[in-house]
Amino acid sequence: MSAPVIVEATVKQTATLIFMHGLGDTGHGWSSALAAIRPPFMKVICPTAPTQPVSLNAGFRMPSWFDLKTLDIGGPEDEPGIQAARDSVHGMIQKEVSAGIPANRIVLGGFSQGGALALYSALTYDQPLAGVVALSCWLPLHKQFPDAKVNSDDVPIFQAHGDYDPVVPYKFGQLSASLLKSFMKNVTFKTYSGLSHSSSDDEMDDVKNFITLSLLFSITGHNQ
């Protein structure tokens, strides 16, 4: 895997955002947008997925966190690939924890396939995180939940989806959110009217507010 794009904190670092891009993108795709909204004490890590063949794109090789076989909600999924990608995300979290940033000061996020990975990685991580930002995405291996969940029920999740998304259908986002709400206590699902498979200024403002609030809560609501 190529080295992640890192935006260092501009004051003493006390928090980290690890954000995964969508299919075919790289860590550079999101780094400047995230740098513009993160608090000054937060380091941003934007890894680039390994380049591998993607079934959905006729086996064409591109940056992809795991293989996508179909975008049907009940279709087959690349379970070994999803779990391997999750292990790599858990390794990134662990590296930050070893460097002195507590898990409850780490936000996981992602867009599309990266958002799917962020959700799955957060729910299967064994320490409470500050929060999860899940944009235009779905919960992978959803039939395994809530049994597969090992994290706290209280981890805040901000899920956002455009209702004109031609790539990851809005309905998938809704279905994932209602499943998450059945076993997680702090799930927000926000709809962006007219938004396709992309982000918007409104959405980024909401992400900024969510990150600020979840880090505030990590100081007052959890033991440091």
Side-chain angles (χ1 to χ4, degrees):
M1 207 182 334
S2 54
V5 178
I6 293 178
V7 182
E8 295 290 357
T10 54
V11 296
K12 179 180 162 56
Q13 182 199 354
T14 62
T16 303
L17 168 64
I18 302 172
F19 193 94
M20 274 69 71
H21 61 74
L23 183 67
D25 198 2
T26 69
H28 290 280
W30 280 87
S31 55
S32 55
L34 295 168
I37 63 159
R38 55 83 197 249
F41 53 78
M42 178 176 248
K43 175 166 104 177
V44 180
I45 301 173
C46 294
T48 294
T51 298
Q52 54 188 323
V54 177
S55 301
L56 193 63
N57 286 355
F60 188 73
R61 292 173 61 82
M62 58 178 59
S64 180
W65 298 107
F66 46 85
D67 190 21
L68 283 174
K69 298 174 188 294
T70 169
L71 275 178
D72 292 336
I73 196 99
E77 294 183 85
D78 173 22
E79 185 168 347
I82 292 166
Q83 291 176 341
R86 171 207 59 194
D87 292 346
S88 138
V89 174
H90 287 180
M92 288 184 249
I93 298 171
Q94 219 35 61
K95 202 170 161 189
E96 289 302 294
V97 171
S98 302
I101 304 299
N104 71 355
R105 299 284 295 164
I106 297 172
V107 176
L108 275 193
F111 173 79
S112 193
Q113 188 195 36
L117 177 58
L119 276 175
Y120 186 79
S121 301
L123 293 171
T124 56
Y125 188 67
D126 62 2
Q127 294 176 58
L129 296 162
V132 188
V133 174
L135 310 180
S136 308
C137 68
W138 68 96
L139 175 61
L141 304 175
H142 63 274
K143 293 185 187 77
Q144 297 180 4
F145 290 94
D147 295 352
K149 178 187 81 75
V150 295
N151 214 320
S152 152
D153 297 351
D154 295 324
V155 174
I157 297 173
F158 176 72
Q159 211 185 329
H161 219 114
D163 61 3
Y164 269 59
D165 192 329
V167 180
V168 178
Y170 176 59
K171 186 89 188 132
F172 287 12
Q174 287 179 306
L175 288 166
S176 290
S178 60
L179 174 60
L180 286 166
K181 285 176 179 175
S182 72
F183 62 89
M184 297 296 283
K185 292 177 182 165
N186 194 348
V187 180
T188 303
F189 181 75
K190 182 110 190 244
T191 301
Y192 295 85
S193 179
L195 184 66
S196 64
H197 194 61
S198 61
S199 189
S200 68
D201 291 346
D202 282 351
E203 186 183 67
M204 293 309 278
D205 284 345
D206 290 337
V207 170
K208 179 180 184 172
N209 292 337
F210 172 79
I211 288 172
T212 305
L213 284 172
S214 48
L215 291 171
L216 202 60
F217 178 72
S218 75
I219 295 171
T220 55
H222 299 143
N223 294 326
Q224 270 292 73

